[in-house]
Amino acid sequence: MSSLHTSVATGVISITADEVLRQTARNIIGTSSFPVITVECHTTRSKISHAIADALEHDHEKVFIHEPNTGKNREIRRQMAKEMLGIDSNRKENRPIQTSTGTSLPTPPTPTKMLREAMRKLATMPDDAAGRDPYLVSLPAWVAESYLPSLSGGLYLEGIEAEERDPNDLVSTDKIYWDTGAHKCIMSENLCSSEFLGYLRTNPDNAPYTVIDRGLLRVACYAKLQFSNTSLTLPMTMEIRPTALMPNGITGVLLGNQSFMQFLQWETIPRSILVARGHTIAEEQWGVINIKAYLNVLDGQLEEF
């Protein structure tokens, strides 16, 4: 049965009780420490739920409840994955944003003496990024590798065609980088379990979404991400790839445009601006990124913040 409502602002989801029980049961299957309960053979749902609740009173194992794997949701993420794989012959090289000046190109400014001096000063500063690809655009909170900003969050991963019985993976990390220059979301495979990677590589249902010779594996991802003004729980298509094929060989997650940023409106304020305005911010923090709006791709609902 399908879900009723999801609030990305609070991380709360309203779905049918049977779906909650199904996902919870899937979480505890195979858990050796799961308690044994005694119930009557002919009983009621209420009595069973009370018996289970009593048995789990001191069990604080986390369970990630997500949108049910309905045919509609599966078709949406299947289409998103196919868009990642395919090349549209009618697609233009770029998609310009809407501006007040229409399609005319701005006239380049004439540099002043002061501007030239400032640029020379910047050019002579030590280049800590020498020999590295300039692939990340600065945006969120904590600085990684001395200059790269990052988010923290949790990812729930499963195959594009996954059913309830199929393996999944949970990844929690603070190495989630916001990359406005990336056209899709990617992550290094060393964040995933070997069991999950093995399943993706060998299960025939995943074959249409893999590039075996390059080690690329495309999956459905449900992510809970912490921004400066809120946390979001949202779906996206993720490509898992060998660390050697990650930009600069980093370990982590790069969040790109396709299936993620294209559904967000955001505001970013770097630390230098915050300090100039008199705000207190730790030196190791890059600045803030505030989410203004999010379009839920699963139900078409627009949420404002």
Side-chain angles (χ1 to χ4, degrees):
M1 299 179 71
S2 62
S3 65
L4 302 178
H5 177 68
T6 304
S7 173
V8 297
T10 60
V12 174
I13 183 171
S14 297
I15 61 177
T16 54
D18 66 312
E19 183 63 29
V20 174
L21 291 174
R22 183 179 297 109
Q23 294 185 28
T24 304
R26 185 180 181 188
N27 177 266
I28 64 178
I29 289 176
T31 303
S32 58
S33 60
F34 194 73
V36 175
I37 62 174
T38 301
V39 295
E40 297 175 353
C41 294
H42 297 281
T43 184
T44 64
R45 296 176 180 177
S46 176
K47 289 181 179 180
I48 292 175
S49 63
H50 282 298
I52 295 176
D54 290 341
L56 296 178
E57 182 179 0
H58 302 293
D59 187 334
H60 303 294
E61 184 71 24
K62 292 184 178 180
V63 180
F64 182 76
I65 302 298
H66 57 85
E67 289 278 353
N69 193 10
T70 63
K72 178 182 177 181
N73 292 350
R74 191 180 300 113
E75 181 57 35
I76 290 175
R77 70 189 191 190
R78 181 185 295 124
Q79 185 58 38
M80 290 165 65
K82 288 180 178 177
E83 289 175 1
M84 239 188 210
L85 286 165
I87 298 177
D88 185 355
S89 59
N90 297 319
R91 184 174 57 194
K92 297 182 178 180
E93 290 185 359
N94 66 323
R95 300 181 66 179
I97 63 171
Q98 185 182 54
T99 66
S100 59
T101 58
T103 58
S104 61
L105 295 174
T107 302
T110 301
T112 63
K113 181 179 179 181
M114 183 179 297
L115 178 58
R116 286 193 175 99
E117 290 175 352
M119 291 303 297
R120 290 189 188 103
K121 183 178 180 180
L122 287 174
T124 56
M125 293 178 63
D127 186 4
D128 294 331
R132 299 171 66 85
D133 297 329
Y135 60 93
L136 281 175
V137 177
S138 297
L139 288 179
W142 291 92
V143 176
E145 296 185 13
S146 301
Y147 66 97
L148 298 182
S150 63
L151 294 165
S152 60
L155 309 178
Y156 177 97
L157 308 171
E158 63 179 11
I160 300 295
E161 304 284 352
E163 300 289 351
E164 287 295 324
R165 66 181 181 278
D166 293 321
N168 59 70
D169 209 3
L170 299 176
V171 176
S172 295
T173 179
D174 59 358
K175 299 183 182 299
I176 301 176
Y177 304 109
W178 182 285
D179 185 0
T180 59
H183 68 281
K184 58 185 175 182
C185 300
I186 63 176
M187 66 183 293
S188 56
E189 67 177 13
N190 56 359
L191 292 178
C192 301
S193 68
S194 57
E195 293 79 10
F196 183 63
L197 294 175
Y199 152 73
L200 294 175
R201 290 167 179 149
T202 58
N203 190 293
D205 290 339
N206 299 316
Y209 310 106
T210 62
V211 183
I212 296 298
D213 58 343
R214 298 193 65 205
L216 307 182
L217 308 167
R218 295 175 178 88
V219 299
C221 173
Y222 300 90
K224 183 171 185 180
L225 305 172
Q226 183 61 54
F227 294 90
S228 298
N229 66 326
T230 188
S231 63
L232 292 182
T233 302
L234 64 171
M236 68 187 75
T237 304
M238 182 70 65
E239 182 180 273
I240 302 172
R241 51 173 51 198
T243 306
L245 296 183
M246 294 291 290
N248 297 325
I250 68 167
T251 290
V253 180
L254 298 186
L255 299 176
N257 285 277
Q258 192 178 68
S259 84
F260 178 69
M261 289 183 186
Q262 68 185 96
F263 302 116
L264 293 175
Q265 177 189 353
W266 66 87
E267 172 194 53
T268 61
I269 310 174
R271 182 179 182 276
S272 58
I273 300 298
L274 294 172
V275 171
R277 290 174 176 169
H279 296 280
T280 300
I281 180 171
E283 186 174 353
E284 66 268 24
Q285 292 180 319
W286 184 90
V288 300
I289 176 169
N290 296 320
I291 298 299
K292 297 296 186 179
Y294 168 64
L295 178 64
N296 191 324
V297 67
L298 295 182
D299 59 18
Q301 296 296 311
L302 179 66
E303 296 208 31
E304 307 276 358
F305 300 87

